[in-house]
Amino acid sequence: MNILPDKYTPEEFTLLGASAAIMERIDRPVSISSLWQNVRADLRVRSFDRFADSLSLLYATKVIDAQDGRIFRAQP
């Protein structure tokens, strides 16, 4: 699984594309299970493994944060 797009892998099939799909759905604090229910049909996410990897990428880059079992957009 590629993190970034390259010559042979379009953005929608990368971890960055899956992360973008997830960020589109985080507009308020949300639980992981309800977020998964919202994005599981999105072809960019496709599987729970990609969902978990995308959350890890977003958290590691401080784009999202978590508190009290909820995920939300990190404040700059």
Side-chain angles (χ1 to χ4, degrees), residues 45-61:
V45 178
R46 291 195 312 261
S47 71
F48 190 80
D49 287 338
R50 286 176 58 87
F51 174 71
D53 289 344
S54 295
L55 288 179
S56 295
L57 175 67
L58 291 168
Y59 187 77
T61 56

Side-chain angles (χ1 to χ4, degrees), residues 34-68:
S34 63
L35 182 59
W36 168 242
Q37 292 300 320
N38 288 334
V39 300
R40 66 192 279 177
D42 193 312
L43 295 177
R44 294 174 289 180
V45 178
R46 291 195 312 261
S47 71
F48 190 80
D49 287 338
R50 286 176 58 87
F51 174 71
D53 289 344
S54 295
L55 288 179
S56 295
L57 175 67
L58 291 168
Y59 187 77
T61 56
K62 299 182 181 184
V63 175
I64 62 170
D65 206 350
Q67 186 176 23
D68 299 326

